[in-house]
C-alpha cells in the first residue's frame, strides 16, 4: 500500500510538472517533454490524456513545428492550490493593490476576480471577501498582518461587527465598529467603519490595530459616504489642525502627478483648473507647498490665508530687492 501511494504521488507530481511545462511556452515536442520529465514518450502521451481527463485542453499536432500545446479553453478545472496557497495568493494580490506602478491596483483586483473563477467552491468565499472589501486611492506601504486583513475583510463582507484595541492619546482603548471597507493609501491600509461608541464614521490605521476579532452581531448597512474619498480626505486634511482649499490653474491630472494622494485631495473643476484640499500644522506650510507646484492659484478657504499670501509675497520681494549681485555674478 505504501508503494502504491508513493507511485500515485509520483504520477501526480509528474502530471503537474507537465502542466507547468505546457504553460511555459506555446509548443513542446513529445521527445522534449520526455527528456524534461525523465520518462518515455509513451508515458508523456498517457500523462497528456490524464490532463485532458481533468479538463485541460491539450492539443497535439503532427509534422514540422508540431507537438503538444495547451489550448486557451473557456472553463478551466479548479485551480490546483490548497487552502493556504489560495489565501497566500489572494493576500499577495492585495499587497499589490494600489502599488507604485500605475494601474497596479486595478490589475491586482482583476487578477483576484480571475482567481475566484477557477478556485474550488470551498475557497471562493475567501477570495470574494478580499476583492469586494478593498478599495484604493494609492498603494499600501506599511506592512500589516495578512491575517488581520483577512479578518477585517471577512467582517466587511459578512456585515458583522468587529472589535480591536486602538491607541488613543497615551492609552489603548477597545473599539467596537461596523466595518464597511478596507482602503489602501499610498502609505498605509485603513479600515473605514462606523464607530459605535462615537456614533459616527471613522477611519482606522490597520497597522495600529491589535487583538482584532469579529463579533457575532450582524448589522444592517447604513447609508455611507464613499469610503476611499472619506479616508483620503481624512489622511490629507481632517487629521490636521488647519485645512486650506485652493483653485489651481492646472489640470487635475497634472496636479495629481505632483502631489501624493495622502498629502492632498485634488478635484477637477474643468480641463484647465482643479481644487486642491490639504491640511498641515500651519497654514504657511500648506501655502508654501502650493506655491512650489509652479502654477497660478487662488485661495478659496480660509479667508485669512489671503493675508498670509500678501505677507509672503512682501517677504519674497524684500529678499529679492536686498540682493545686490557682485561684478562676477550675472543676472538671468
Amino acid at each position: 500500500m505504501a508503494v502504491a501511494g508513493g507511485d500515485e504521488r509520483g504520477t501526480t507530481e509528474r502530471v503537474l510538472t507537465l502542466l507547468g511545462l505546457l504553460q511555459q511556452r506555446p509548443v513542446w515536442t513529445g521527445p522534449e517533454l520526455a527528456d524534461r520529465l525523465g520518462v518515455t514518450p509513451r508515458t508523456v502521451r498517457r500523462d497528456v490524456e490524464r490532463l485532458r481527463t481533468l479538463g485541460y485542453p491539450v492539443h497535439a499536432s503532427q509534422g514540422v513545428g508540431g507537438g503538444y500545446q495547451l489550448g486557451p479553453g473557456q472553463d478551466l478545472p479548479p485551480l490546483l492550490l490548497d487552502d493556504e496557497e489560495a489565501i497566500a495568493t489572494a493576500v499577495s494580490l492585495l499587497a499589490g493593490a494600489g502599488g507604485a506602478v500605475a494601474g497596479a491596483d486595478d490589475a491586482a483586483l482583476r487578477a483576484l476576480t480571475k482567481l475566484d473563477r477557477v478556485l474550488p467552491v470551498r475557497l471562493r468565499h475567501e477570495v470574494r471577501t478580499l476583492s469586494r472589501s478593498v478599495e484604493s486611492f494609492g498603494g499600501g506601504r506599511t506592512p500589516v498582518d495578512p491575517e488581520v486583513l483577512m479578518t477585517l475583510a471577512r467582517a466587511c463582507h459578512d456585515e458583522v461587527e468587529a472589535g480591536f484595541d486602538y491607541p488613543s492619546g497615551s492609552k489603548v482603548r477597545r473599539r467596537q465598529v461596523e466595518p464597511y471597507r478596507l482602503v489602501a493609501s499610498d502609505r498605509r491600509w485603513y479600515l473605514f467603519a462606523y464607530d459605535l461608541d462615537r456614533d459616527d464614521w471613522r477611519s482606522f490605521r490597520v497597522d495600529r490595530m491589535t487583538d482584532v476579532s469579529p463579533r457575532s452581531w450582524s448589522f444592517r448597512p447604513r447609508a455611507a459616504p464613499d469610503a476611499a474619498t472619506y479616508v483620503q480626505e481624512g489622511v490629507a486634511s481632517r487629521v490636521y489642525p488647519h485645512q486650506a482649499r485652493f483653485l489651481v490653474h492646472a489640470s487635475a491630472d497634472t496636479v495629481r502627478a505632483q502631489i501624493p494622494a495622502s498629502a492632498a485631495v485634488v478635484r477637477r473643476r474643468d480641463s484647465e483648473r482643479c481644487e486642491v484640499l490639504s491640511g498641515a500644522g500651519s497654514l504657511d506650510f500648506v501655502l508654501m507647498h502650493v506655491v512650489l507646484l509652479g502654477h497660478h492659484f487662488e485661495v478659496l478657504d480660509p479667508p485669512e490665508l489671503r493675508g498670509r499670501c500678501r505677507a509672503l509675497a512682501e517677504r519674497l520681494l524684500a529678499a529679492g530687492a536686498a540682493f545686490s549681485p557682485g561684478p562676477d555674478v550675472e543676472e538671468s
Side-chain angles (χ1 to χ4, degrees):
M1 294 296 292
V3 174
D7 290 344
E8 183 178 347
R9 286 195 299 272
T11 300
T12 301
E13 292 172 1
R14 189 180 66 248
V15 171
L16 290 176
T17 301
L18 172 60
L19 177 59
L21 291 172
L22 291 171
Q23 291 174 331
Q24 288 179 14
R25 75 185 203 196
V27 180
W28 290 84
T29 66
E32 286 176 329
L33 289 173
D35 181 64
R36 294 293 293 268
L37 296 171
V39 297
T40 65
R42 183 179 180 182
T43 300
V44 171
R45 290 194 293 271
R46 288 178 177 174
D47 289 347
V48 166
E49 287 303 318
R50 290 186 175 98
L51 286 177
R52 289 169 176 164
T53 300
L54 290 171
Y56 289 93
V58 182
H59 306 308
S61 57
Q62 303 294 327
V64 179
Y68 293 103
Q69 181 178 18
L70 184 63
Q74 294 187 358
D75 296 317
L76 290 179
L79 193 63
L80 297 174
L81 295 175
D82 61 29
D83 290 20
E84 291 183 356
E85 292 170 335
I87 299 305
T89 300
V91 170
S92 296
L93 287 170
L94 273 174
V101 179
D105 49 352
D106 292 338
L109 293 180
R110 287 198 304 271
L112 278 171
T113 301
K114 292 178 181 178
L115 182 62
D116 177 54
R117 291 173 183 166
V118 297
L119 279 173
V121 174
R122 70 178 185 279
L123 298 181
R124 287 180 181 172
H125 173 72
E126 300 290 349
V127 175
R128 286 174 181 170
T129 295
L130 292 169
S131 61
R132 291 175 181 174
S133 301
V134 175
E135 297 183 13
S136 174
F137 67 85
R141 286 292 178 272
T142 303
V144 296
D145 185 350
E147 186 57 35
V148 171
L149 279 180
M150 286 293 301
T151 299
L152 294 173
R154 290 192 196 102
C156 291
H157 177 270
D158 296 339
E159 297 176 353
V160 296
E161 294 178 10
F164 50 86
D165 293 337
Y166 198 78
S168 177
S170 59
K171 298 181 179 179
V172 175
R173 302 180 185 276
R174 190 69 180 171
R175 310 297 284 267
Q176 305 294 342
V177 302
E178 296 176 355
Y180 278 72
R181 288 289 185 273
L182 285 169
V183 180
S185 79
D186 56 353
R187 294 181 181 178
R188 302 180 178 92
W189 284 99
Y190 294 87
L191 174 68
F192 171 64
Y194 192 84
D195 191 322
L196 296 172
D197 296 324
R198 289 158 177 75
D199 197 25
D200 200 1
W201 296 101
R202 290 287 190 275
S203 61
F204 302 91
R205 280 177 49 176
V206 176
D207 61 294
R208 289 182 174 177
M209 296 179 181
T210 55
D211 193 19
V212 180
S213 61
R215 305 178 72 193
S216 58
W217 292 280
S218 60
F219 62 86
R220 181 177 296 178
R222 306 168 187 263
D226 179 77
T229 300
Y230 181 92
V231 174
Q232 186 191 13
E233 289 181 355
V235 171
S237 177
R238 285 194 302 268
V239 296
Y240 296 102
H242 299 283
Q243 294 83 40
R245 190 165 59 98
F246 305 88
L247 178 64
V248 179
H249 292 250
S251 70
D253 289 341
T254 298
V255 176
R256 288 192 184 108
Q258 295 179 283
I259 306 177
S262 59
V265 178
V266 181
R267 300 183 181 128
R268 184 181 185 274
R269 271 285 189 95
D270 52 43
S271 61
E272 298 180 349
R273 298 182 304 168
C274 63
E275 285 188 22
V276 173
L277 174 66
S278 186
S282 72
L283 289 175
D284 287 339
F285 187 84
V286 180
L287 179 59
M288 285 303 303
H289 272 268
V290 176
V291 169
L292 292 174
L293 292 177
H295 309 297
H296 293 292
F297 67 92
E298 304 166 33
V299 173
L300 299 178
D301 288 306
E304 60 267 25
L305 189 55
R306 299 188 184 104
R308 301 204 180 193
C309 286
R310 289 190 291 270
L312 176 61
E314 291 172 358
R315 288 200 299 271
L316 292 174
L317 286 172
F323 177 70
S324 178
D328 296 328
V329 179
E330 294 184 2
E331 292 188 76
S332 59

